[in-house]
Amino acid sequence: AQSVTQLGSHVSVSEGALVLLRCNYSSSVPPYLFWYVQYPNQGLQLLLKYTTGATLVKGINGFEAEFKKSETSFHLTKPSAHMSDAAEYFCAVSFSGGYNKLIFGAGTRLAVHP
Amino acid sequence: ETGVTQTPRHLVMGMTNKKSLKCEQHLGHNAMYWYKQSAKKPLELMFVYNFKEQTENNSVPSRFSPECPNSSHLFLHLHTLQPEDSALYLCASSQGLLGGGNTGELFFGEGSRLTVL
């Protein structure tokens, strides 16, 4: 069965520090991988996605993620955190072949302090 | 502004009430979704519609009744809910079903926060 695990429900960093949010997936077929962000009182917004090709994917707001098949991981990083990055981040996976739904991880809440 | 509008943003209802949540998308998409977001739980897919036809019902209790009159509008009719149904209900749309040309970008509304007393 396919699943997504996000390590750490809460992550706290200082402004200017590296952001690292971890995501591991389980899949028997090649996955499509995503990171979504949810700001308070808003819906989810796509940050970036991996489908095929280059394994290092760049997204909005300076975030990037690298697909590592051998580690079944898709960790999200940003070199320097900004206060406005405080939000909840969701990793998600879908699959080719007509499968029509995203499977979401439980989310990681990122806090950024001065 | 994502192009997906949900109303009402907040709803409080008793267990015997009947109410509806509305979702409208202005993106020209063909597929629409209802998700449930509860505290400390992953997002749960409830229903999927493609060109007004329901393609997925993820074992949702019958007290939740979806309606999709056209590709731009999606409703979730609620009746005899339980307190554990209190959650944020998110509507989303996509250009097509995942795997059918769309690889996963969903456009979400801001959600309807439901409280069942």
Side-chain angles (χ1 to χ4, degrees):
Chain A
Q2 291 80 13
S3 65
V4 178
T5 302
Q6 291 183 240
L7 297 178
S9 59
H10 290 82
V11 171
S12 181
V13 300
S14 299
E15 191 173 19
L18 171 72
V19 176
L20 171 60
L21 304 182
R22 300 178 186 273
C23 174
N24 288 87
Y25 69 91
S26 171
S27 171
S28 57
V29 298
Y32 299 150
L33 295 158
F34 310 85
W35 277 98
Y36 280 80
V37 61
Q38 185 177 30
Y39 297 102
N41 300 313
Q42 294 189 24
L44 279 71
Q45 177 186 4
L46 182 68
L47 266 182
L48 49 79
K49 66 180 180 182
Y50 167 80
T51 52
T52 58
T55 57
L56 182 61
V57 180
K58 295 185 184 301
I60 62 173
N61 301 337
F63 284 93
E64 62 182 37
E66 186 171 11
F67 170 54
K68 293 187 176 180
K69 184 178 179 180
S70 61
E71 298 177 7
T72 61
S73 68
F74 191 59
H75 301 331
L76 181 71
T77 61
K78 181 174 181 178
S80 177
H82 191 273
M83 297 295 288
S84 61
D85 294 326
E88 189 149 21
Y89 293 80
F90 294 91
C91 184
V93 61
S94 71
F95 310 92
S96 60
Y99 198 68
N100 68 346
K101 63 182 180 184
L102 284 176
I103 299 172
F104 284 89
T108 297
R109 186 168 297 279
L110 175 67
V112 182
H113 51 84
Chain B
E1 179 60 47
T2 64
V4 180
T5 303
Q6 290 188 242
T7 55
R9 293 292 311 278
H10 299 272
L11 178 63
V12 179
M13 59 187 290
M15 290 190 284
T16 58
N17 292 158
K18 292 184 179 181
K19 298 286 185 182
S20 296
L21 306 181
K22 178 183 177 181
C23 176
E24 182 174 3
Q25 58 95 0
H26 306 276
L27 301 169
H29 289 165
N30 304 318
M32 297 188 76
Y33 310 75
W34 280 117
Y35 279 87
K36 177 183 179 182
Q37 186 176 30
S38 305
K40 302 182 180 179
K41 293 178 66 176
L43 272 76
E44 301 171 60
L45 178 66
M46 300 175 73
F47 302 103
V48 180
Y49 279 82
N50 189 41
F51 289 102
K52 305 188 301 179
E53 300 299 319
Q54 188 179 115
T55 60
E56 181 132 1
N57 176 338
N58 204 23
S59 302
V60 180
S62 60
R63 58 185 183 270
F64 294 91
S65 175
E67 178 189 1
C68 189
N70 54 60
S71 293
S72 298
H73 293 85
L74 183 64
F75 296 89
L76 188 63
H77 303 301
L78 316 169
H79 61 98
T80 59
L81 295 190
Q82 304 298 311
E84 60 264 29
D85 296 323
S86 298
L88 182 68
Y89 289 86
L90 291 165
C91 174
S93 70
S94 64
Q95 181 60 43
L97 289 179
L98 300 173
N102 171 30
T103 52
E105 183 164 10
L106 301 184
F107 292 78
F108 284 85
E110 294 184 327
S112 293
R113 172 75 60 188
L114 173 66
T115 302
V116 182
L117 302 177

